[in-house]
Amino acid sequence: MDTYDFLADPRAISLEQRHRVLASMQREQTWWLDRLQALSEGQKPERDFPAFLLAMAPFQDLAKRLAKATQRAQLAPALADELDWFVNAFRYYLRTSEGEDVFSGHRGSLEH
C-alpha cells in the first residue's frame, strides 16, 4: 500500500502496517497527540496512541471539529463523548488487533 487515504476502516491493515503508517505520519502524530492530551478527560492517551488516525479520511469530520478546540471545556457534550469513544476504542490499536469488535457498535466518524 502506497497511500492510506482511501482506507475506510482502520482495522483493515495489519499491526505491522499500522506501525509503518505511524512512521510515515510522525508530524501528524505529534500534532494530534498533543491536542488529544489537552482535550481528553480521565486517562490521557499514552505516547503510543495512534493520534495520526485523525489525519486520515475516516476521521476527517471528527478531526475538523476537534481542531478548533484547545481545551476540553470548548467541546460540546456530544463531541466530548465522541472523543472519549475514539480514545477508548483506539487505545491499543498499535499494540494488538484483538478485541476490535468494539468498532462494530459505533455509529460515529467511521460511517460519515
Side-chain angles (χ1 to χ4, degrees):
M1 290 185 200
D2 293 335
T3 180
Y4 296 93
D5 290 345
F6 67 90
L7 192 60
D9 184 348
R11 298 171 299 163
I13 60 176
S14 70
L15 196 53
E16 180 182 325
Q17 290 169 315
R18 295 171 188 191
H19 284 276
R20 286 197 304 256
V21 175
L22 169 63
S24 71
M25 298 182 76
Q26 280 301 306
R27 184 178 43 152
E28 294 87 349
Q29 173 69 9
T30 299
W31 194 90
W32 277 111
L33 188 58
D34 288 345
R35 181 61 50 105
L36 292 178
Q37 295 282 340
L39 298 177
S40 295
E41 184 175 73
Q43 185 179 359
K44 303 289 186 187
E46 295 180 36
R47 296 306 308 163
D48 69 343
F49 181 82
F52 68 89
L53 289 173
L54 287 167
M56 298 176 71
F59 299 103
Q60 181 179 12
D61 180 60
L62 177 59
K64 182 178 169 184
R65 292 180 289 138
L66 290 174
K68 298 174 185 174
T70 57
Q71 52 186 314
R72 186 160 178 104
Q74 295 172 313
L75 301 178
L79 180 54
D81 288 346
E82 188 170 358
L83 169 62
D84 293 343
W85 175 87
F86 176 80
V87 170
N88 289 326
F90 287 96
R91 187 169 304 282
Y92 302 110
Y93 180 78
L94 293 171
R95 298 179 191 173
T96 182
S97 59
E98 294 179 19
E100 290 187 346
D101 56 342
V102 68
F103 295 93
S104 61
H106 181 67
R107 300 186 59 83
S109 295
L110 287 176
E111 295 186 9
H112 287 222

